[in-house]
Amino acid sequence: MLRTQASSLLRKSLVRSSPAVVSRAASTHAISNPTLANIEKRWEGMPLQEQADLWMALRDRMKGNWNELTLQEKKAAYWIAFGPHGPRAADPPGSGARIAWGVFIGLGISFSLFAMTRAFANPAPHTMTREWQEKSNEYLKEQNADPLTGISSGLAPRGMIQSPPKGN
């Protein structure tokens, strides 16, 4: 009974004190070296809850004076924060070749679809022939169409002709 009252009083006093005091009081002991040993090799295999607990303990230790951190704690904190795991993990070998093959296959399919579309497409409409476009130019000049900037002004020499003349 007396022990529970003393612990509740201690908790209340810690809660009322400043956050710096709480973090110093909570992080006075170092994390054991066996816990941090070979963290680089063990991190991926650790359960998520254990990873979170270890990171929280390291975070609490880092809130205090960094001169009090052990070398193992500093190395573990750096590796957990910036190590090649999770989204920073290296791509597995062969993924570049797989991507290149996917691009080549996609380009091949696109080219074959384009070629088949062109092969089975209807011919161009009769209005797209050069003769039709030249006659359209003559008609527009006769009608004096767009006299300020268009074909009748001489500023648009090609007029309705869509493609350059043969030989250019």
Side-chain angles (χ1 to χ4, degrees):
M1 174 92 172
L2 187 60
R3 186 174 181 184
T4 58
Q5 288 176 345
S7 64
S8 68
L9 284 175
L10 178 64
R11 262 189 259 126
K12 286 179 185 176
S13 67
L14 284 176
V15 168
R16 282 188 218 132
S17 63
S18 69
V21 172
V22 172
S23 67
R24 269 190 247 123
S27 64
T28 56
H29 67 284
I31 300 171
S32 66
N33 282 340
T35 304
L36 300 176
N38 281 336
I39 194 70
E40 302 89 15
K41 295 177 183 164
R42 294 184 304 120
W43 184 258
E44 290 291 326
M46 289 172 67
L48 291 176
Q49 184 61 42
E50 193 174 333
Q51 287 178 353
D53 291 342
L54 180 60
W55 176 243
M56 292 300 170
L58 280 171
R59 190 191 65 180
D60 291 342
R61 287 278 294 156
M62 289 188 296
K63 285 181 181 177
N65 187 358
W66 278 48
N67 291 329
E68 295 174 6
L69 292 175
T70 65
L71 184 61
Q72 284 286 89
E73 288 173 330
K74 290 176 186 177
K75 286 180 180 179
Y78 179 83
W79 194 87
I80 291 170
F82 303 109
H85 54 84
R88 291 177 301 280
D91 291 333
S95 63
R98 201 171 69 236
I99 291 170
W101 277 111
V103 168
F104 289 135
I105 289 171
L107 286 173
I109 290 171
S110 299
F111 178 74
S112 63
L113 283 174
F114 176 76
M116 286 193 347
T117 302
R118 291 294 300 241
F120 296 111
N122 291 332
H126 66 281
T127 57
M128 292 304 293
T129 63
R130 184 146 183 103
E131 295 79 26
W132 185 278
Q133 293 170 358
E134 288 173 353
K135 287 187 179 183
S136 295
N137 277 350
E138 291 173 16
Y139 177 76
L140 290 173
K141 285 180 186 176
E142 288 173 7
Q143 297 296 318
N144 199 19
D146 199 4
L148 298 177
T149 59
I151 191 155
S152 295
S153 69
L155 296 177
R158 290 182 54 194
M160 295 311 230
I161 298 175
Q162 298 293 317
S163 59
K166 305 260 192 236
N168 279 357

